[in-house]
Amino acid sequence: MDCDIELEIGAGSEPGEYTVHVVQAPAGGHASGLFTLDVGSILARRAELEATILASSVSARRATPVMELPVRAAGQELFQALFTREVYGTYRASLGAAQHAGQQLRVVLRLAAPELAAMPWEMLFDPETESYLCQTEPLLRHIPAPDYHLNPLDITPPLRILGIVAGPRDLPSLDVETEKKNLAQALAGPVSEGRVELVWTPDGTWDAVQSSLLAGPWHVVHFIGHGDYDYRSDEGRIALEGPDGRSAMVRAVRFMALLSVAAPRPRLVVLNSCSSAEMSRSDLFSGTAASLVRSGVSAVAAMQFAISDSAAIAFAHGFYAAIANGRAVDEAARVGRISVMASPEGTLEWATPALYVRGGSTRLFQLAALPRPPAAVPAQAAAPIQAAVPTQATAPTQATAPTQSASQLPGTLRQESQLQAERARQAQLRALYIQASAELRTRHFEQAAELFDDLLTLEPGYRDADALRSSALHRHDLAERYRLAREAEDAQDWGAAAEAYALLEGEADFPDAAERRRDCERRQRVAELQSELRYHAHGGSWQAVVDVAVELEAVDPGAADPEGLTTAARAELELAKERAAREREAKERAARETAAQERAAQEKTAREKAARERAAQQLQRDPEKPPAALPAEMPAARERRAAADWNRPLGFTGGLLLMAAGLLGAAGAADYYWYVYKIESDAYPLIAALGLLVPAALLAMAAAGFPVRSIAGRLALLGAALASFLLGWGGLARMPAGPAVFLTVVQFASALLLAIACFAGTAQRRIAGWVLSASLAAVALAWSQTNTQAFQVFYFLALALAGVLVAWSSRPWKKPAEGKNTP
């Protein structure tokens, strides 16, 4: 059809994964998508969905019953899974194209995965338009199989329907007569108009069905009974009656072979589950229907849930009336759903029928002519047929059956109608009770209470509904407390949550209340300790932080280090310990050093005292031989040692030599120094003596350390001695000018250095040194023109005076006074 949107649904590469592909659509394009669907979860909710749909057949006091929520939720889940982004766009565009063309958009589901046949696709709910697809557009399930009947079957009314009721005694019992009357009531109008003819098989055995099929032709087979799905053979089965009255399970392919004995083969099969038996449950006809279509039936309408009598009658009435008027089977199914929606208000049983087709065409029959007028309708069509297929032997009896019961027909119909209404009412009450109990069992307490309210409104005092309603309200109140407790827990209001959970302890519906209370109290304690820990951390009380962390770790090890504060506190404490250790070590080291210094000072004092005592004793024993070493901290001892050094004979000898040289020079002053004149001078012996005495005296004084003991003073004396010796030996007059000037400068510089060095000595040493320096520096006067006798005498007297001072300072018979500086 031009206004078909065909969606091919197949298995994906992973379990629970499926692909959807748009085969054709009015809007064009071939969109595709990938979706996941938890088939097992939806199948597990079938009982809840069935109870919801059955309970909806009872008139509700609310405009939108709470019971519709599970159906809407399942339909929305299927819709959002199937209509992926691209596929949904194609669907919306195709819907607009169909409306623009003035036609309906037919939704064709090509189910390539067998497990998808059990899904309640008829519940598809579009959340955007808030509508169920099958209520506004024809919806059918296409089974991938070859189409054996490309053209509709030409028939002349009536449309012949063969009814089969199979009630094996080992399965939930069926009220066979009621089932027949229900279908007859649904078809009463079309039968009276001659559009439909309904004939029943004598029983549900294989032989009875086969005999009835041979007495065809039959266009439709309407089966009422039980069925299931054989997962080992991946095929649906229906339950016929065996010879012993027990169930005889017939696979769909065998049932198809049974149907093939009819000529022509029936193109439409309707599988109807029952609800008249109290303990009966819905049969999984979805698998059976798909199997029958794969086996060769053009179309199968199956009840995927148990259906109430009123809904079954309404669907059959609309469905068969549409077929008898030449409508396509998918449109007939939609008309049947609309008939179900008419009564009662708010019923959801329109979702129970499911249509499976094969091939591309849904128009199964082509009526060749209008139906015969009602006056010409055979007697069998005026009322439900209660016997087997007519034969020649039984024809007269069947022809008179309506006449014999005509007088009793009105009263009987009224009684049957009352009984039927009462049975329908009881079935609806049971369905509502089951739905409410199911909601109570699944802890939907508010919905359960509302459903029990509906039940008690319809039937006050029904079983234990009042007690269950009170229980639902009580448990709803507890559930509300639990919800508030969970909200407080989610908001981390641990105190309020713990108080709320404490009120729920011991309640069977909330076995986790005690554990949650303890957990909330623990979390409350953790929060308090963490706040205290942060307070101590902000104040820098690191030990307090660690103490709180230890307590926190005992309550919750994972919460003992919020924001890393405990780690930081431990690090700070370690640093403090290290600093304290370093300070303690420094104090101990300072104490040790102080003690060592005190011991060293004491030892030094003792050594100095002992040294002083030894020095004093040695000086007393031998004044001329002072101690080899004295402490530097003893000024008096240092002076005494210096005095002892000066009293050496060498110093005294040097002084005597210098004094002798001065006296001799003064005696021979007429020649002004021995080295001024030639060697042939008349005073040669005197000059030779002076040339040896002066250097010898200077060497003796350098060795004795007079007038100073410093290295500079000793070097000055040695330089002066060498220059004096060379000048006296060579003679100034005989030397070349260069060496004479050089030696004169050396002696003058030595005399100047000696004078400078004498500044550090005592008064006596300074005077003696300066006199000696002056006499030595006088050699420079040899280059002047001054040559008087007085100057010559002065020079040598200065030498003699220096010798006297040196000899006096080095006199050996003078003992140094204790504690005084000896000259």
Side-chain angles (χ1 to χ4, degrees):
M1 293 180 63
D2 294 337
C3 288
D4 286 0
I5 178 170
E6 297 189 20
L7 304 177
E8 185 178 70
I9 311 171
S13 59
E14 299 291 337
E17 186 178 80
Y18 299 92
T19 60
V20 55
H21 175 69
V22 178
V23 178
Q24 69 174 21
H30 298 280
S32 61
L34 185 69
F35 67 93
T36 57
L37 185 64
D38 191 352
V39 175
S41 174
I42 297 178
L43 289 179
R45 284 182 281 164
R46 283 183 60 88
E48 178 186 1
L49 295 173
E50 180 181 24
T52 299
I53 292 173
L54 276 176
S56 68
S57 62
V58 180
S59 298
R61 292 175 294 138
R62 296 174 301 278
T64 303
V66 176
M67 65 183 66
E68 185 182 351
L69 296 179
V71 175
R72 179 172 294 191
Q76 184 169 333
E77 179 181 355
L78 290 172
F79 184 89
Q80 292 176 340
L82 178 61
F83 289 95
T84 60
R85 184 174 181 179
E86 293 80 4
V87 176
Y88 183 71
T90 303
Y91 165 73
R92 298 300 301 176
S94 299
L95 188 61
Q99 292 176 353
H100 181 73
Q103 300 183 28
Q104 288 183 327
L105 178 67
R106 184 171 65 174
V107 180
V108 180
L109 302 180
R110 294 179 175 267
L111 304 176
E115 67 271 17
L116 296 176
M119 295 294 99
W121 298 106
E122 288 67 27
M123 297 180 184
L124 283 171
F125 181 81
D126 186 351
E128 181 175 344
T129 61
E130 295 188 354
S131 62
Y132 296 93
L133 265 64
C134 66
Q135 291 182 352
T136 57
E137 297 105 24
L139 185 145
L140 57 93
R141 308 182 184 200
H142 182 277
I143 302 301
D147 190 3
Y148 299 145
H149 306 288
L150 299 178
N151 299 317
L153 176 64
D154 293 329
I155 62 174
T156 300
L159 180 73
R160 302 200 70 208
I161 302 173
L162 177 62
I164 304 173
V165 179
R169 58 185 175 87
D170 57 338
L171 294 179
S173 61
L174 298 177
D175 189 343
V176 177
E177 297 302 323
T178 300
E179 295 295 338
K180 291 181 178 180
K181 290 178 180 178
N182 289 342
L183 185 57
Q185 180 182 353
L187 299 179
V191 168
S192 64
E193 296 173 358
R195 296 175 179 271
V196 174
E197 180 182 358
L198 174 63
V199 178
W200 295 97
T201 60
D203 53 51
T205 62
W206 181 285
D207 291 339
V209 174
Q210 182 173 340
S211 299
S212 299
L213 288 170
L214 289 173
W218 306 108
H219 308 127
V220 181
V221 171
H222 190 107
F223 176 81
I224 301 175
H226 302 282
D228 68 0
Y229 193 84
D230 187 358
Y231 289 95
R232 293 173 299 178
S233 62
D234 193 24
E235 189 176 4
R237 304 184 302 178
I238 62 173
L240 295 180
E241 299 175 8
D244 56 353
R246 302 177 66 85
S247 61
M249 305 307 296
V250 178
R251 292 165 50 195
V253 64
R254 294 179 57 207
F255 189 68
M256 185 61 210
L258 179 61
L259 295 178
S260 66
V261 303
R265 180 183 302 176
R267 295 195 177 187
L268 175 62
V269 174
V270 178
L271 301 176
N272 189 21
S273 60
C274 61
S275 62
S276 58
E278 181 176 354
M279 298 302 295
S280 69
R281 299 183 59 189
S282 63
D283 302 311
L284 190 59
F285 273 131
S286 298
T288 306
S291 300
L292 286 174
V293 172
R294 282 195 297 268
S295 300
V297 178
S298 296
V300 175
M303 305 301 157
Q304 55 186 329
F305 303 114
I307 189 170
S308 65
D309 292 340
S310 59
I313 294 171
F315 178 79
H317 175 75
F319 181 77
Y320 286 119
I323 292 293
N325 281 277
R327 298 291 184 92
V329 67
D330 58 326
E331 181 63 17
R334 192 178 75 87
V335 173
R337 297 184 203 280
I338 294 175
S339 298
V340 173
M341 294 171 62
S343 179
E345 180 68 21
T347 182
L348 300 173
E349 290 190 282
W350 49 262
T352 299
L355 179 64
Y356 298 79
V357 298
R358 63 185 295 151
S361 176
T362 58
R363 187 171 296 277
L364 305 180
F365 309 107
Q366 181 67 44
L367 297 177
L370 294 175
R372 291 169 293 179
V377 175
Q380 284 183 332
I385 305 300
Q386 304 294 335
V389 179
T391 62
Q392 292 180 354
T394 59
T397 304
Q398 292 176 354
T400 59
T403 304
Q404 294 174 354
S405 60
S407 60
Q408 301 176 356
L409 186 58
T412 302
L413 289 177
R414 283 195 300 272
Q415 293 177 358
E416 291 179 355
S417 177
Q418 292 174 355
L419 291 174
Q420 178 66 26
E422 181 61 24
R423 282 195 296 269
R425 182 173 178 276
Q426 291 299 323
Q428 292 169 351
L429 293 175
R430 286 194 300 271
L432 190 58
Y433 181 84
I434 292 172
Q435 173 69 8
S437 300
E439 294 292 346
L440 184 62
R441 189 180 300 278
T442 55
R443 302 168 61 87
H444 298 157
F445 304 123
E446 185 177 6
Q447 293 89 329
E450 292 179 357
L451 291 172
F452 279 123
D453 283 339
D454 293 341
L455 178 60
L456 292 172
T457 299
L458 296 173
E459 183 68 25
Y462 185 82
R463 297 171 66 172
D464 56 348
D466 189 41
L468 292 177
R469 174 184 173 277
S470 300
S471 175
L473 291 174
H474 174 67
R475 295 170 70 183
H476 173 66
D477 180 63
L478 296 178
E480 185 65 19
R481 292 184 183 178
Y482 185 80
R483 183 186 64 81
L484 294 175
R486 291 295 299 270
E487 289 180 356
E489 184 178 0
D490 294 339
Q492 298 185 358
D493 187 357
W494 310 118
E499 293 177 1
Y501 284 131
L503 298 175
L504 297 173
E505 289 188 28
E507 295 292 342
D509 289 335
F510 309 101
D512 60 338
E515 181 64 26
R516 287 186 176 275
R517 176 190 60 79
R518 289 191 293 268
D519 183 67
C520 289
E521 291 175 348
R522 179 183 62 81
R523 290 175 179 269
Q524 177 69 15
R525 181 58 179 163
V526 167
E528 292 173 352
L529 289 175
Q530 286 184 340
S531 298
E532 182 181 352
L533 187 146
R534 293 186 182 94
Y535 175 80
H536 291 310
H538 181 72
S541 303
W542 306 119
Q543 185 59 48
V545 170
V546 174
D547 294 341
V548 175
V550 171
E551 188 174 352
L552 256 175
E553 189 171 7
V555 179
D556 186 356
D561 192 12
E563 295 92 41
L565 295 177
T566 302
T567 302
R570 289 196 172 101
E572 290 291 338
L573 289 177
E574 289 296 327
L575 291 176
K577 288 181 181 178
E578 293 177 1
R579 287 194 297 268
R582 287 196 298 269
E583 292 176 357
R584 185 170 58 254
E585 184 179 356
K587 290 180 179 179
E588 292 175 355
R589 184 169 58 251
R592 289 194 300 268
E593 292 176 355
T594 301
Q597 291 175 357
E598 292 177 352
R599 288 193 301 271
Q602 293 174 358
E603 292 174 358
K604 183 177 181 180
T605 302
R607 286 194 302 269
E608 290 177 352
K609 182 178 180 181
R612 285 194 298 270
E613 292 176 353
R614 287 193 301 270
Q617 293 173 1
Q618 185 174 352
L619 287 174
Q620 290 176 359
R621 289 192 303 269
D622 189 1
E624 297 300 328
K625 187 179 180 181
L630 287 175
E633 293 80 5
M634 299 172 61
R638 187 164 59 250
E639 293 295 335
R640 288 194 299 273
R641 180 176 178 179
D645 290 341
W646 284 106
N647 289 334
R648 291 178 181 180
L650 185 59
F652 180 74
T653 301
L656 292 179
L657 290 175
L658 189 62
M659 182 180 64
L663 293 176
L664 288 174
D671 293 326
Y672 180 67
Y673 215 172
W674 63 92
Y675 51 77
V676 177
Y677 302 99
K678 295 181 180 180
I679 194 68
E680 291 81 7
S681 172
D682 294 338
Y684 176 76
L686 177 62
I687 296 171
L690 290 174
L692 293 177
L693 286 175
V694 173
L698 293 175
L699 289 175
M701 286 188 291
F706 183 86
V708 292
R709 301 180 67 247
S710 65
I711 295 177
R714 292 176 188 268
L715 291 177
L717 290 172
L718 290 175
L722 180 61
S724 178
F725 173 77
L726 293 177
L727 286 172
W729 182 260
L732 188 64
R734 296 189 299 271
M735 280 186 179
V741 173
F742 174 74
L743 293 175
T744 301
V745 172
V746 170
Q747 184 167 331
F748 182 82
S750 298
L752 182 61
L753 180 61
L754 178 63
I756 296 172
C758 288
F759 277 101
T762 60
Q764 291 181 355
R765 290 197 298 271
R766 286 197 300 271
I767 295 172
W770 289 343
V771 172
L772 179 60
S773 298
S775 63
L776 292 176
V779 71
L781 298 176
W783 296 94
S784 66
Q785 298 300 322
T786 304
N787 195 14
T788 63
Q789 187 73 23
F791 181 77
Q792 295 176 7
V793 173
F794 168 76
Y795 172 76
F796 286 109
L797 289 178
L799 286 178
L801 179 59
V804 171
L805 292 174
V806 172
W808 176 258
S809 300
S810 303
R811 61 190 184 278
W813 61 85
K814 177 68 174 179
K815 181 179 180 181
E818 184 71 25
K820 296 182 180 179
N821 291 332
T822 303

